[in-house]
Amino acid sequence: MLFFSFFKTLVNHEVTVELKNDISVRGTLKSVDQYLNIKLDDISVVEEMKYPHLSSVKNVFIRGSVVRYVHLPANAVDTPLLEDATRREASQAASKAKQSSS
Amino acid sequence: MSAPAPNGASAGAPQSANDARDPSGFLSEIIGAPVTVKLNSGVVYKGELQSVDGYMNIALEGTREFVDGKMRRSYGDAFVRGNNVTYISADS
Amino acid sequence: MASPEGPGAVTSSVNEPLDLVRLSLNEVVFVKLRGDRELKGRLHAYDSHCNLVLGEVEETIYMVDEEEEGGNGEVRTMKKQSEMLFVRGDSVVLISPQA
């Protein structure tokens, strides 16, 4: 849930999604779901000459599993808050594991 | 893969101390020992086994990385994601 | 369901492999990925899938030039920088705290 919540805070920011097939798509993050599927608006393809078949596409839905990276605007990320949320999630996961094994 | 089974289960015949009853029993017995971890890519890691979980995620200490038998790198500590693991072997 | 260690003993022990990653929060880590890629950056978030957020990242990509058929394909490296990067966990092979 941590990254689902995290991406929801980035809605309407400009991001670049790099796919596992090396294509990079830049656009406005419009929505995200629990699988980290992503919807982008107003897209442009980085290295357009290499991938001309996407030049007329205006928006995309990207399946989460094909994503390698998402490049984010650093000023939109509150890193101390993110680290605290990570620690909370880690301790929740640990207590869940303890429950199921005792 | 589910979480590691509780170890207290009474297995059948009595076995020698080094002869683990099941795979996760084997893994918990070799915690702290020097191990060789081979990945699906063919890369090999040698180090001291700190911990393992039900996904075969692994924490190693004093790790050396070997590619085609040649040492490439060393790490103080290393976390290896379980899905990449082919085997974990206790160095004797 | 009180935990065996009692309250307060929860956060700083190394019992499971991901604890190693937890102890690297806000530290620089080295990450090895599938596809001959490596990252170095400051760890700001992770989860049990090894999804990561890294800051001030340098990516190194290793590419083999296979033009020569002799097999002595030289390894080229390409470096890229990123100020803030989400990494999908299924690409992760190894995470190591940078000493």
Side-chain angles (χ1 to χ4, degrees), chain B residues 36-74:
Chain B
T36 300
V37 177
K38 183 158 181 153
L39 304 192
N40 297 331
S41 62
V43 178
V44 169
Y45 294 96
K46 285 174 178 289
E48 185 181 301
L49 185 63
Q50 279 185 324
S51 61
V52 187
D53 66 16
Y55 297 105
M56 269 212 229
N57 293 324
I58 297 170
L60 292 173
E61 198 175 332
T63 310
R64 289 167 299 151
E65 176 182 87
F66 296 86
V67 181
D68 297 329
K70 296 182 203 86
M71 223 244 303
R72 279 296 151 83
R73 242 207 203 86
S74 61

Coordinates of all heavy atoms in Angstrom, one line a residue, chain B residues 36-74:
Chain B
T36 N 27.4 -20.6 -0.2 CA 27.5 -20.2 -1.6 C 26.1 -20.0 -2.1 O 25.3 -20.9 -1.9 CB 28.2 -21.3 -2.4 OG1 29.5 -21.4 -1.9 CG2 28.3 -20.9 -3.9
V37 N 25.8 -18.9 -2.7 CA 24.4 -18.7 -3.3 C 24.6 -18.5 -4.8 O 25.3 -17.6 -5.2 CB 23.8 -17.4 -2.7 CG1 22.5 -17.1 -3.3 CG2 23.6 -17.6 -1.2
K38 N 23.9 -19.3 -5.6 CA 24.0 -19.2 -7.0 C 22.6 -18.6 -7.5 O 21.6 -19.0 -7.1 CB 24.2 -20.5 -7.7 CG 24.3 -20.4 -9.2 CD 25.1 -21.6 -9.8 CE 25.2 -21.4 -11.3 NZ 26.4 -22.0 -11.8
L39 N 22.7 -17.6 -8.4 CA 21.5 -17.0 -9.0 C 21.2 -17.6 -10.3 O 22.1 -18.2 -11.0 CB 21.8 -15.5 -9.1 CG 22.2 -14.7 -7.9 CD1 22.0 -13.2 -8.2 CD2 21.3 -15.1 -6.7
N40 N 20.0 -17.4 -10.8 CA 19.6 -17.8 -12.1 C 20.5 -17.3 -13.2 O 20.6 -17.9 -14.2 CB 18.1 -17.4 -12.3 CG 17.2 -18.1 -11.3 OD1 17.5 -19.2 -10.8 ND2 16.1 -17.5 -11.0
S41 N 21.0 -16.1 -13.0 CA 21.9 -15.5 -14.0 C 23.2 -16.2 -14.1 O 24.0 -15.9 -15.0 CB 22.1 -14.0 -13.7 OG 22.8 -13.9 -12.4
G42 N 23.6 -17.1 -13.1 CA 24.9 -17.7 -13.1 C 25.8 -17.1 -12.1 O 26.9 -17.7 -11.8
V43 N 25.5 -15.8 -11.7 CA 26.4 -15.2 -10.8 C 26.4 -15.9 -9.4 O 25.3 -16.4 -9.0 CB 25.9 -13.7 -10.6 CG1 26.8 -13.0 -9.5 CG2 25.9 -13.0 -11.9
V44 N 27.5 -16.0 -8.8 CA 27.6 -16.7 -7.5 C 28.1 -15.7 -6.4 O 28.9 -14.8 -6.6 CB 28.7 -17.8 -7.6 CG1 29.0 -18.4 -6.3 CG2 28.2 -18.9 -8.6
Y45 N 27.5 -15.8 -5.2 CA 27.9 -15.0 -4.1 C 28.3 -16.0 -3.0 O 27.7 -17.0 -2.7 CB 26.7 -14.2 -3.5 CG 26.3 -13.1 -4.5 CD1 25.2 -13.4 -5.4 CD2 27.0 -11.9 -4.6 CE1 24.9 -12.4 -6.4 CE2 26.6 -11.0 -5.6 CZ 25.6 -11.2 -6.4 OH 25.2 -10.3 -7.4
K46 N 29.4 -15.6 -2.3 CA 29.9 -16.3 -1.2 C 30.0 -15.4 0.0 O 30.5 -14.3 -0.1 CB 31.3 -16.9 -1.5 CG 31.3 -18.1 -2.4 CD 32.7 -18.5 -2.8 CE 32.7 -19.8 -3.7 NZ 32.3 -21.0 -2.9
G47 N 29.5 -15.8 1.1 CA 29.5 -15.0 2.3 C 28.9 -15.7 3.5 O 28.5 -16.9 3.4
E48 N 28.8 -15.0 4.6 CA 28.2 -15.6 5.8 C 26.7 -15.4 5.8 O 26.3 -14.2 5.7 CB 28.9 -15.1 7.1 CG 28.4 -15.8 8.3 CD 29.1 -15.1 9.5 OE1 30.4 -15.2 9.6 OE2 28.4 -14.6 10.4
L49 N 25.9 -16.4 6.0 CA 24.5 -16.3 5.9 C 23.9 -15.6 7.2 O 24.0 -16.2 8.3 CB 23.8 -17.7 5.7 CG 22.3 -17.7 5.5 CD1 21.9 -17.0 4.2 CD2 21.8 -19.2 5.5
Q50 N 23.3 -14.4 7.0 CA 22.8 -13.7 8.2 C 21.3 -14.2 8.4 O 20.9 -14.4 9.6 CB 22.8 -12.2 8.0 CG 24.1 -11.5 8.2 CD 24.0 -10.0 8.1 OE1 23.2 -9.6 7.2 NE2 24.7 -9.3 8.9
S51 N 20.6 -14.2 7.4 CA 19.2 -14.6 7.5 C 18.5 -14.9 6.2 O 19.0 -14.5 5.1 CB 18.4 -13.4 8.2 OG 18.4 -12.3 7.4
V52 N 17.4 -15.6 6.3 CA 16.6 -16.0 5.1 C 15.2 -15.9 5.5 O 14.8 -16.1 6.6 CB 16.9 -17.5 4.7 CG1 16.2 -17.8 3.4 CG2 18.4 -17.8 4.6
D53 N 14.3 -15.6 4.5 CA 12.9 -15.6 4.8 C 12.2 -16.6 3.8 O 12.8 -17.3 3.1 CB 12.3 -14.2 4.7 CG 12.3 -13.6 3.3 OD1 12.5 -14.3 2.4 OD2 12.1 -12.4 3.2
G54 N 10.8 -16.6 3.9 CA 10.1 -17.6 3.2 C 10.1 -17.4 1.7 O 9.8 -18.3 0.9
Y55 N 10.5 -16.2 1.2 CA 10.7 -16.0 -0.2 C 12.1 -16.3 -0.7 O 12.4 -16.1 -1.9 CB 10.4 -14.5 -0.6 CG 9.0 -14.1 -0.2 CD1 8.7 -13.3 0.9 CD2 7.9 -14.5 -1.0 CE1 7.4 -12.9 1.2 CE2 6.6 -14.1 -0.7 CZ 6.4 -13.3 0.4 OH 5.1 -12.9 0.7
M56 N 12.9 -16.8 0.2 CA 14.3 -17.0 -0.1 C 15.0 -15.8 -0.3 O 16.1 -15.8 -1.0 CB 14.5 -18.0 -1.3 CG 14.6 -19.4 -0.8 SD 15.7 -20.4 -1.8 CE 14.6 -21.8 -2.1
N57 N 14.5 -14.6 0.1 CA 15.3 -13.4 0.3 C 16.4 -13.8 1.2 O 16.2 -14.5 2.2 CB 14.5 -12.3 0.8 CG 13.5 -11.8 -0.1 OD1 13.6 -11.8 -1.3 ND2 12.3 -11.4 0.4
I58 N 17.6 -13.2 1.0 CA 18.8 -13.6 1.8 C 19.6 -12.4 2.2 O 19.7 -11.5 1.4 CB 19.7 -14.5 0.9 CG1 19.0 -15.8 0.5 CG2 21.0 -14.8 1.6 CD1 19.8 -16.6 -0.6
A59 N 20.1 -12.4 3.4 CA 21.0 -11.4 3.9 C 22.4 -12.1 4.1 O 22.5 -13.1 4.8 CB 20.6 -10.7 5.1
L60 N 23.4 -11.6 3.4 CA 24.8 -12.1 3.5 C 25.7 -11.1 4.1 O 25.5 -9.9 3.9 CB 25.3 -12.5 2.2 CG 24.6 -13.7 1.5 CD1 25.2 -13.9 0.0 CD2 24.9 -15.0 2.3
E61 N 26.7 -11.5 4.8 CA 27.7 -10.7 5.4 C 29.1 -11.0 4.8 O 29.4 -12.2 4.6 CB 27.8 -10.9 6.9 CG 28.4 -9.8 7.7 CD 28.3 -10.1 9.2 OE1 27.3 -10.8 9.6 OE2 29.2 -9.7 10.0
G62 N 29.9 -10.0 4.5 CA 31.3 -10.3 4.0 C 31.2 -11.0 2.7 O 31.8 -12.1 2.5
T63 N 30.4 -10.4 1.7 CA 30.0 -11.2 0.5 C 31.0 -10.9 -0.6 O 31.5 -9.7 -0.9 CB 28.7 -10.7 0.0 OG1 27.8 -10.8 1.2 CG2 28.1 -11.6 -1.1
R64 N 31.4 -11.9 -1.4 CA 32.2 -11.8 -2.6 C 31.3 -12.2 -3.8 O 30.6 -13.2 -3.7 CB 33.5 -12.6 -2.5 CG 34.5 -11.9 -1.5 CD 35.6 -12.9 -1.3 NE 35.1 -14.1 -0.6 CZ 35.7 -15.3 -0.7 NH1 36.8 -15.5 -1.4 NH2 35.1 -16.4 -0.1
E65 N 31.4 -11.5 -4.9 CA 30.6 -11.8 -6.1 C 31.5 -12.4 -7.1 O 32.5 -11.8 -7.5 CB 30.0 -10.5 -6.6 CG 29.2 -10.6 -7.9 CD 28.6 -9.3 -8.3 OE1 29.4 -8.5 -9.0 OE2 27.5 -8.9 -7.9
F66 N 31.1 -13.5 -7.7 CA 31.9 -14.2 -8.8 C 31.1 -14.3 -10.1 O 29.9 -14.7 -10.1 CB 32.2 -15.6 -8.3 CG 33.1 -15.7 -7.1 CD1 32.6 -15.6 -5.8 CD2 34.5 -15.7 -7.3 CE1 33.4 -15.6 -4.7 CE2 35.3 -15.7 -6.1 CZ 34.8 -15.7 -4.9
V67 N 31.7 -13.9 -11.2 CA 31.1 -14.0 -12.5 C 32.0 -14.8 -13.3 O 33.2 -14.5 -13.4 CB 30.9 -12.6 -13.1 CG1 30.2 -12.7 -14.5 CG2 30.1 -11.7 -12.2
D68 N 31.5 -15.9 -13.9 CA 32.3 -16.9 -14.6 C 33.5 -17.3 -13.8 O 34.6 -17.4 -14.3 CB 32.8 -16.2 -15.9 CG 31.7 -15.9 -16.9 OD1 30.7 -16.6 -16.8 OD2 31.8 -14.9 -17.6
G69 N 33.3 -17.5 -12.5 CA 34.4 -18.0 -11.6 C 35.4 -16.9 -11.2 O 36.2 -17.2 -10.4
K70 N 35.3 -15.7 -11.7 CA 36.2 -14.7 -11.3 C 35.6 -13.7 -10.3 O 34.4 -13.3 -10.5 CB 36.7 -13.9 -12.5 CG 37.5 -14.7 -13.6 CD 37.9 -13.8 -14.7 CE 38.2 -14.5 -16.0 NZ 37.0 -14.8 -16.9
M71 N 36.3 -13.4 -9.3 CA 35.8 -12.4 -8.3 C 35.7 -11.1 -8.9 O 36.6 -10.6 -9.6 CB 36.7 -12.3 -7.1 CG 36.0 -12.3 -5.8 SD 36.0 -10.9 -4.7 CE 37.6 -10.6 -4.3
R72 N 34.5 -10.5 -8.8 CA 34.2 -9.2 -9.4 C 34.1 -8.0 -8.4 O 34.4 -6.9 -8.7 CB 32.9 -9.2 -10.2 CG 33.0 -9.9 -11.6 CD 34.0 -9.0 -12.5 NE 34.7 -9.8 -13.4 CZ 34.2 -10.2 -14.6 NH1 33.0 -9.9 -15.0 NH2 34.9 -10.9 -15.4
R73 N 33.6 -8.3 -7.2 CA 33.3 -7.3 -6.3 C 33.1 -7.9 -4.9 O 32.9 -9.1 -4.8 CB 31.9 -6.8 -6.7 CG 31.7 -5.4 -7.1 CD 30.4 -4.8 -6.9 NE 30.3 -3.7 -7.8 CZ 29.8 -3.8 -9.0 NH1 29.4 -5.0 -9.5 NH2 29.8 -2.8 -9.8
S74 N 33.2 -7.0 -3.9 CA 32.8 -7.5 -2.6 C 31.9 -6.5 -1.9 O 32.0 -5.3 -2.2 CB 34.1 -7.8 -1.8 OG 34.8 -6.6 -1.6

